[in-house]
Amino acid sequence: MNDFSELRKEVSSWINANWDPSLDLITWRKKLADSGWGAPDWPKEDFGMGLSPEESSIIEEEFSKKGVIGAAQSGVRLLAAVTILEHGTREQKDRYLKPILTGEENWCQLFSEPGSGSDLAGATTRADLIGDEWIINGQKVWNTSAHHADFGLLVARTNWDVPKHEGISYFIIDMRQKEVEVRQLRQMNGHASFNEVFFTDARVSRENILGTEGRGWQVAMTTLAYERRSFDRARRVSSDMAGDASIYREYEMELEKANEPYKWYPQRAGRGDLVLETAIETGAIENAAIRQEIARFHVLNESAKWTAARAKAAQKAGQPQGPEGSLGKLAASRVAQSAARVHTSIMGNGALLTGEGSLKDGILAEVLVSTPAISIAGGTDEIQKNIIAERVLGLPKEPRFDSGPFRDVQKNADKSST
Amino acid sequence: MNDFSELRKEVSSWINANWDPSLDLITWRKKLADSGWGAPDWPKEDFGMGLSPEESSIIEEEFSKKGVIGAAQSGVRLLAAVTILEHGTREQKDRYLKPILTGEENWCQLFSEPGSGSDLAGATTRADLIGDEWIINGQKVWNTSAHHADFGLLVARTNWDVPKHEGISYFIIDMRQKEVEVRQLRQMNGHASFNEVFFTDARVSRENILGTEGRGWQVAMTTLAYERRSFDRARRVSSDMAGDASIYREYEMELEKANEPYKWYPQRAGRGDLVLETAIETGAIENAAIRQEIARFHVLNESAKWTAARAKAAQKAGQPQGPEGSLGKLAASRVAQSAARVHTSIMGNGALLTGEGSLKDGILAEVLVSTPAISIAGGTDEIQKNIIAERVLGLPKEPRFDSGPFRDVQKNADKSST
Amino acid sequence: MEYLFTKEQTQFRESLQNFFRKHSPTSEVRRLMETQLGFDREVWKNACGSLGLSGIAIPEEYGGSGFGPVELSIVCEEMGRSLYCSPFLGSVICAGSAINLSSANKETKEQYLSRIASGEIIAALAVTENKPMWGDENFVTAATPIDKNTFQLTGEKNFVISANAADVILVITNLEERATLFAVERDAEGLDISDLSVMDPTRKMSACSFDKTLAKCVGSIDLETLCSHVLIYLSNEMIGGAQQLLDSAIDYTKLRFQFGRSIASFQAIKHRLAELLLELELAKSACYQAAQALSDNEKIKERSSLAKSAANEAFLKAGLECIQLHGGIGFTWENDTHLWFKRAKSSEVLLGNSAINYERLLLAIPTVDSVLRRAS
Amino acid sequence: MEYLFTKEQTQFRESLQNFFRKHSPTSEVRRLMETQLGFDREVWKNACGSLGLSGIAIPEEYGGSGFGPVELSIVCEEMGRSLYCSPFLGSVICAGSAINLSSANKETKEQYLSRIASGEIIAALAVTENKPMWGDENFVTAATPIDKNTFQLTGEKNFVISANAADVILVITNLEERATLFAVERDAEGLDISDLSVMDPTRKMSACSFDKTLAKCVGSIDLETLCSHVLIYLSNEMIGGAQQLLDSAIDYTKLRFQFGRSIASFQAIKHRLAELLLELELAKSACYQAAQALSDNEKIKERSSLAKSAANEAFLKAGLECIQLHGGIGFTWENDTHLWFKRAKSSEVLLGNSAINYERLLLAIPTVDSVLRRAS
């Protein structure tokens, strides 16, 4: 077994020689990007060092140990980076990769549409090549960062006469043009985490297609595969590094901005951790009927945690991560709904209230109006069940009704979704 | 409003003149059949009097009041009768109707097959015309009276090259031939209410087709429509008439034989009536957790009763009986399953036992192993949900895969069903 | 109504639907829920006047139209369906029932009921201190006698519906160990009404505190019976909301296409809507049966809690399914589903969740009650 | 096992599967369940001898192979899957654990455990008098001292697993207010064993009555711990049964065609099987975790009841779904589903249904326990 002591020594000496918390954030990161230590698993010619993921995580560890700020990771910038690394031209890599690492430019993902939530390949946003420009018209939704993005990863239809997966292309779009309108979308729990984006004759210059025309689905798969793998990681970034220098404040503001859309996610997951505590505080634990509900929830919650741990262990042991993730997602959905129900019972009249003054500083009230989202976001429970049935249990697929030319596939009558 | 006093007088005087409890059952019923009073809603030329259903029920009332035994009703004989009345030839009516009324000949229904439970029109029992005889090969299942039937109402496929509903014919088959083998089918609750029937080159003479070749589905619809309407009635027949004469004993034996397959049906429905009683007797009612379960069941049970009453009232008020029956069936299924669960909680260790010595003379143990049948028999819960979704809520139908020639429709690989 | 609504009742329902469709579209609900008052005084006057809603269940002798509980339940159901914002539940159902069921003499009843019926005044009923179910409270609010009919109240009441708009607050607390109804005028000294930040903004609630506040004694009252009355009307309101959610889910799934087919053609969705319909029809039966029980004055304690628990489950399920079947859009503020969902969550706990009502309904069955008394 | 079974454990499981596939096909289960003894002595000897099943969890010092709770749970799971008819649960799990957990000295333990391990004797454990959960009983069976180690037992014990085949009955009752384990030889005077008519004929049970029956005192025992041990092994057996039912439902729906398509292609059926898989995987996690808890001797009371309630729900659901997805044929005697369904129903109540285990697991959480003690 390699304990990577050589590598640790190397990174350590580089840090000692270069890390300077008195620099401003961008200046530091430019240095980092140029050195290759900011993205060591990227190719050498693209701001990386061509190292393995395992080696990369050793380097990350060393940075973290020493309280050194790494390359920017927040938002969907890394999705943009891997996609450009795999499908981009030399020019695209040169133009976009460095500002991704430095945090100078922000990105958003423009995949979902009001008319195609679960059915990504059913996108109807259109891109028409006129002269040297692609002209974009349509609407995207459910992205978390369009309102402060410089560039967007856009999936749009360029050919309506072929089956749906074959008529899609993938673009890098400049979000700062006035033909792109971003509106924040408020949720029923009062937060506004997502945006709608409207394109009215928006422009993408010809060289900003990623991959080739009509092969956008394959490019999107790269983005999605990485999204699935890195979901945990992207959220996990937090400032556990100490330090008074202004670079740390810059860094924290960056994180805060990136995490803003997700601040209600713990409530979406049901806050099962508060069940027993609240039951004891309110005295609800003394009620035998409520105890039954609490115990039932506890069984589900513990079982779900262990199921997740089993899946993770299997993955670590080299068994490939497959559709078992769908089981975890379905379990999380059950846990959240069950938590909301048991919280309600424990809260009693308290569930009539909302806001800061209500139980647990309003957190529980927020749970009640947030948990419905968990069985929808990131693929509905229904989609997860299809995946489990077909890919885990090997049951036959549903017959398809959308395999012909996309022009002939039945679609929503109008695009407004209410 | 007609109070039918004339009719009452007339039936009364006929009874006074003719009813003679010292006759044996068959002799009495022959007289009854010849008089027309045994089936007053049948046509005059077919042992009836051409009266309306309402008038008919007045006559039945009078018979019942005076303790007079009416025409035979048990089993599926009346299904046979209505089907023959509507689709039969003169010769068929003359041959079969009278012994139906007298009880001399018994009938069974041969529709369901192991390979087509919910999908009746998917029957694969075949009938091939060879000379002047139809030769029958195949297997039927789920009938309750084949083991003492003289004749069967048989649905079989006569044409494999047309869509499934168009290739079926309807036959009257002699069950006493050795080419027909009847085997009783034991259920998981120990009762044996149903039969499997095997046909190996069994014969039906050419004149015993009902309706015309290839129109058997329409004939079967007559049988099924009457089955749905008369289900309650057929079960309701009971001997509330007093009397010592041997004709009553003959009558009771007839009923007992006919009701034998259904004696566990109350258990199948969950015996919700015993929930509270058992909980009080066992002391389980003192347990707060069990009380929650009992109350939850009670809410369901009462709501289901009232829902059934509402549907019945709507029907009485002239609103046509429609697919709402499916809601009732689905509710009954929930009630039974919920009853089994709450019984289990109340029984505690008692649920480990079975047989006469166990709780409530074994009735509760029988509930536990009988309720799973209710969501299957007479159309599964899944079929009911399809009906409700499509016919009550107006949701679109599933795409069909069996509309082409039946020969090409995908079927079970082999006909053995385990 | 013996299992079926009469033709007159059905026509009455349709006239209500027309009124609410016109006066309470969701745009109006959204406007009003953001206001402090929470309803439109003009529309409320109109509802009291031309439609006579506020007097519908008040006996004719007190100026009401004296319809029965079945008609009043129809009103509640249609209000629940349209989410009509008004003081109906607080003033007419809660306060009106309290006055009517109290031991007050005819004159006193008339004094309040006729003005509630005409819409001249809005009343609110203050019962809850801590417990969800009124019958479970050990009231600590103190009533100190001043003269024969006048008392000083000191204490706090919570979750008082429509107190923000009330001209008179009716307060229930114990007097000589008997639940007793007192009337406090809005301008009485020592009365403080503070609006609560509620989950369901279409139904305003306040906390009321009394500090030696002068109150008139209206009479004693059977709290369980009052509780049963309110439970039954609330439950009927709830199934109206559930029906609206089911309708909305059906309409949406029929319109929406994914994977080249209407999502309403997916069997999983069809079956879930079928199950939701069943759940709703069962709950409707329970709620209609409870209204009939009120009419017959029979088993109302059992039936009221039965209705409430059935309505709880159906309404909540309808809310969750309606969001789920709408997908992401169903979770947005812009989509109307959450208005009913929040009503469902609030109504679920108002006067006790299902568990509390399960226990209450079983104890209303004499055999159960007597066994448990013997056991304890 | 830290979340994953080791390669050795997986191989061990496969060897068990081969053995049971060969020796316990359902034809054999059906034959044996109709006999009074309920198992095949030859196969049992073979299982004890070549496979060493009876000694698997018995410490090496007592002649067992000294595997851990995880391996023993694998045995139980595979037995549950194949419905292998044997005295394993009664003799090895119940009686073996009782001896092992008792305060008896090494010599006494050896005397019993070595013979149980070798399969030389079959032991049964008699605890239950009335309550489903052992820890809830107030034993009335009396133990009267004759000399230091010899007692006379008088009383009745019910639902004693495999007592019909037992050479020795181990009885638990109170001695000086402490749960104590006694051994009664099969031929002891005053011992009456009468077979019960049980719902699950693949697991024989008897009622045992003692009338001044001579018994040897084995030692005192912590009843809660014993109960937790048995609960954990029983739960692991149950998920094996649930897995078999799920597999059977999947196989059948794939083979079966209606309306011109495989019924496994209907979305409603696909989704239900997906949900059943989830339920089963969750229960498996709970059961494996409980076995691990035994291994770590940590939180075993909480984990055992957690496992049992999860296994209860999963096994019952698997049984109901498996029947339903088979349609009519699934309700016949001829079809094998009911064999597991009856095991599911019986196992559900054995050592407490979910409600009882819910309460038990919460009380095993120290903070809950202390609050409730304070409250009562």
Side-chain angles (χ1 to χ4, degrees), chain C residues 20-324:
Chain C
F20 293 131
R21 206 174 292 127
K22 186 168 165 203
H23 294 290
S24 184
T26 49
S27 57
E28 195 59 11
V29 172
R30 284 173 181 273
R31 182 180 71 81
L32 292 168
M33 75 187 195
E34 305 287 358
T35 65
Q36 189 271 336
L37 184 64
F39 66 97
D40 184 310
R41 284 201 189 271
E42 282 310 306
V43 176
W44 174 240
K45 267 184 202 155
N46 195 345
C48 297
S50 68
L51 228 62
L53 290 192
S54 54
I56 200 146
I58 290 173
E60 281 174 277
E61 50 186 315
Y62 304 130
S65 49
F67 277 115
V70 173
E71 285 78 11
L72 191 52
S73 295
I74 294 174
V75 175
C76 292
E77 188 179 348
E78 293 307 323
M79 284 188 174
R81 189 199 292 245
S82 71
L83 220 59
Y84 171 54
C85 297
S86 81
F88 193 80
L89 186 74
S91 183
V92 179
I93 298 290
C94 293
S97 301
I99 299 272
N100 199 29
L101 291 168
S102 76
S103 68
N105 59 26
K106 205 183 145 179
E107 198 188 334
T108 310
K109 286 190 181 181
E110 161 130 41
Q111 185 196 338
Y112 293 105
L113 292 180
S114 64
R115 290 184 298 157
I116 290 174
S118 67
E120 189 187 330
I121 60 165
I122 289 167
L125 179 68
V127 187
T128 303
E129 293 179 0
N130 283 302
K131 299 285 175 64
M133 186 65 81
W134 291 345
D136 295 341
E137 288 278 14
N138 274 320
F139 297 120
V140 296
T141 296
T144 315
I146 301 292
D147 64 34
K148 190 166 164 268
N149 278 320
T150 316
F151 289 74
Q152 274 185 348
L153 297 185
T154 299
E156 281 175 37
K157 293 285 182 181
N158 211 343
F159 304 109
V160 185
I161 299 169
S162 294
N164 64 330
D167 302 293
V168 56
I169 311 278
L170 297 162
V171 183
I172 292 180
T173 192
N174 281 343
L175 185 64
E176 291 161 8
E177 297 186 355
R178 272 182 88 173
T180 304
L181 187 64
F182 297 89
V184 173
E185 296 298 319
R186 167 119 215 155
D187 53 9
E189 235 171 280
L191 167 64
D192 182 71
I193 299 175
S194 69
D195 297 348
L196 297 169
S197 169
V198 285
M199 155 154 308
D200 171 14
T202 65
R203 174 131 73 209
K204 305 298 183 194
M205 295 185 185
S206 311
C208 299
S209 73
F210 309 91
D211 181 13
K212 297 186 186 156
T213 306
L214 282 189
K216 197 184 140 189
C217 175
V218 177
S220 65
I221 190 159
D222 178 6
L223 199 55
E224 280 297 345
T225 303
L226 175 61
C227 187
S228 298
H229 277 245
V230 177
L231 275 170
I232 289 169
Y233 294 120
L234 175 60
S235 304
N236 275 280
E237 183 200 275
M238 290 168 77
I239 53 163
Q243 180 72 59
Q244 169 62 28
L245 287 163
L246 173 63
D247 291 347
S248 156
I250 291 170
D251 289 349
Y252 183 76
T253 50
K254 279 185 187 168
L255 277 177
R256 185 116 163 85
F257 282 75
Q258 287 221 62
F259 303 105
R261 59 193 276 199
S262 151
I263 66 167
S265 75
F266 283 103
Q267 202 187 29
I269 288 177
K270 288 165 72 174
H271 281 202
R272 278 163 58 179
L273 286 169
E275 277 165 25
L276 182 56
L277 176 72
L278 173 63
E279 186 98 10
L280 176 56
E281 286 300 317
L282 291 171
K284 273 188 179 174
S285 293
C287 292
Y288 296 164
Q289 188 183 18
Q292 188 60 40
L294 261 195
S295 207
D296 303 340
N297 196 20
E298 217 178 87
K299 294 193 184 179
I300 68 167
K301 185 175 170 185
E302 181 196 335
R303 299 284 188 230
S304 63
S305 279
L306 199 157
K308 179 59 162 44
S309 55
N312 272 350
E313 302 305 310
F315 200 4
L316 181 63
K317 182 171 177 158
L320 288 170
E321 289 285 23
C322 191
I323 294 175
Q324 182 71 21

Side-chain angles (χ1 to χ4, degrees), chain B residues 44-311:
Chain B
K44 282 192 184 156
E45 60 276 24
D46 297 322
F47 310 99
M49 308 180 81
L51 300 181
S52 71
E54 203 175 4
E55 289 165 322
S56 237
S57 71
I58 297 294
I59 294 168
E60 217 176 308
E61 243 177 77
E62 291 299 312
F63 268 61
S64 174
K65 257 193 249 169
K66 292 183 184 273
V68 179
I69 293 171
Q73 296 202 329
S74 60
V76 299
R77 55 177 12 89
L78 294 185
L79 300 188
V82 281
T83 313
I84 292 170
L85 279 167
E86 186 159 337
H87 300 280
T89 60
R90 185 67 258 155
E91 291 70 27
Q92 288 168 339
K93 291 176 189 173
D94 291 342
R95 166 63 189 88
Y96 295 113
L97 292 175
K98 191 168 171 185
I100 283 177
L101 291 176
T102 62
E104 284 167 292
E105 289 174 353
N106 290 304
W107 289 72
C108 67
Q109 191 180 357
L110 303 165
F111 283 20
S112 292
E113 296 185 6
S116 63
S118 303
D119 179 18
L120 210 59
T124 57
T125 293
R126 56 188 308 140
D128 299 288
L129 187 63
I130 295 175
D132 267 354
E133 281 184 328
W134 290 97
I135 305 301
I136 316 293
N137 282 285
Q139 183 188 351
K140 296 285 177 177
V141 73
W142 307 131
N143 72 79
T144 49
S145 46
H147 55 306
H148 44 68
D150 300 288
F151 297 101
L153 301 170
L154 173 72
V155 156
R157 186 161 309 277
T158 47
N159 188 343
W160 299 70
D161 297 311
V162 291
K164 63 179 185 175
H165 291 88
E166 296 164 28
I168 286 174
S169 303
Y170 196 118
F171 302 94
I172 297 171
I173 186 169
D174 179 356
M175 295 293 286
R176 302 299 189 190
Q177 56 185 308
K178 70 174 189 333
E179 292 80 5
V180 175
E181 190 196 349
V182 178
R183 287 188 211 153
Q184 282 204 304
L185 201 54
R186 193 177 171 200
Q187 294 121 239
M188 60 176 267
N189 62 359
H191 292 280
S193 308
F194 303 104
N195 300 291
E196 292 179 289
V197 182
F198 298 86
F199 306 95
T200 316
D201 292 333
R203 288 137 195 277
V204 174
S205 69
R206 203 165 180 169
E207 66 270 20
N208 274 330
I209 195 167
L210 250 178
T212 54
E213 189 187 329
R215 301 276 296 167
W217 181 252
Q218 288 72 12
V219 183
M221 284 298 102
T222 302
T223 317
L224 291 175
Y226 188 81
E227 186 179 20
R228 265 194 294 273
R229 263 190 302 132
S230 65
F231 193 75
D232 271 359
R233 187 180 169 198
R235 302 279 168 279
R236 222 177 45 216
V237 176
S238 85
S239 77
D240 51 355
M241 316 171 196
D244 283 339
S246 71
I247 192 171
Y248 289 109
R249 277 199 302 283
E250 283 186 83
Y251 179 65
E252 267 166 34
M253 277 172 56
E254 179 186 86
L255 285 183
E256 205 175 301
K257 190 167 145 197
N259 289 330
E260 168 70 22
Y262 312 110
K263 65 184 179 191
W264 57 282
Y265 275 30
Q267 277 68 273
R268 187 179 74 166
R271 292 309 297 267
D273 56 317
L274 297 178
V275 165
L276 215 48
E277 184 180 316
T278 316
I280 291 172
E281 281 170 18
T282 57
I285 194 80
E286 290 167 36
N287 179 307
I290 296 183
R291 275 206 301 283
Q292 288 281 310
E293 281 192 69
I294 292 173
R296 198 179 297 121
F297 170 73
H298 182 71
V299 170
L300 173 61
N301 197 36
E302 290 289 309
S303 303
K305 276 190 212 158
W306 245 67
T307 304
R310 283 170 62 208

Side-chain angles (χ1 to χ4, degrees), chain B residues 30 35 118:
Chain B
K30 281 183 174 162
S35 74
S118 303

Side-chain angles (χ1 to χ4, degrees), chain D residues 53 68 86 180 278 342:
Chain D
L53 291 192
S86 81
T180 305
L278 173 62
K342 287 167 184 172

Side-chain angles (χ1 to χ4, degrees), chain B residues 114-119 142 164 185-190 196 264 289 293 340-341 344-345 348-355 365 368-370 372-373 375-376 380-383 398-402 409-413 417-418, chain D residues 34 128 130-132 159 196-200 205 252 255-262 266 268-269 272 312-313 316 320 323-324 326-335 338 341-342 345-351 353-355:
Chain B
S116 63
S118 303
D119 179 18
W142 307 131
K164 63 179 185 175
L185 201 54
R186 193 177 171 200
Q187 294 121 239
M188 60 176 267
N189 62 359
E196 292 179 289
W264 57 282
E293 281 192 69
R341 200 76 210 272
T344 308
S345 292
N349 281 336
L352 293 168
L353 300 176
T354 187
L368 303 188
V369 292
S370 298
S375 38
I376 298 168
T380 62
D381 280 4
E382 289 70 37
I383 296 289
E398 286 280 301
R400 294 208 72 106
F401 295 84
D402 57 353
V409 169
Q410 260 198 299
K411 292 175 271 292
N412 291 326
S417 31
T418 27
Chain D
E34 305 289 358
T128 304
N130 283 303
K131 299 286 176 61
F159 305 107
L196 297 169
S197 169
V198 285
M199 155 153 308
D200 171 15
M205 294 184 186
Y252 183 75
L255 278 176
R256 185 116 163 85
F257 283 76
Q258 287 222 65
F259 304 105
R261 58 193 276 199
S262 151
F266 283 103
I269 288 178
R272 278 164 57 179
N312 272 349
E313 303 304 311
L316 181 64
L320 287 170
I323 294 175
Q324 182 72 20
H326 274 79
I329 208 72
F331 192 67
T332 60
W333 189 268
E334 188 180 302
N335 183 277
H338 73 102
F341 178 79
K342 287 167 184 172
K345 282 309 286 184
S346 298
S347 304
E348 182 192 352
V349 297
L350 194 60
L351 280 174
N353 68 358
S354 298

Side-chain angles (χ1 to χ4, degrees), chain D residues 355-366:
Chain D
I356 293 169
N357 280 287
Y358 287 149
E359 185 76 4
R360 184 172 181 268
L361 78 88
L362 267 196
L363 292 178
I365 298 173

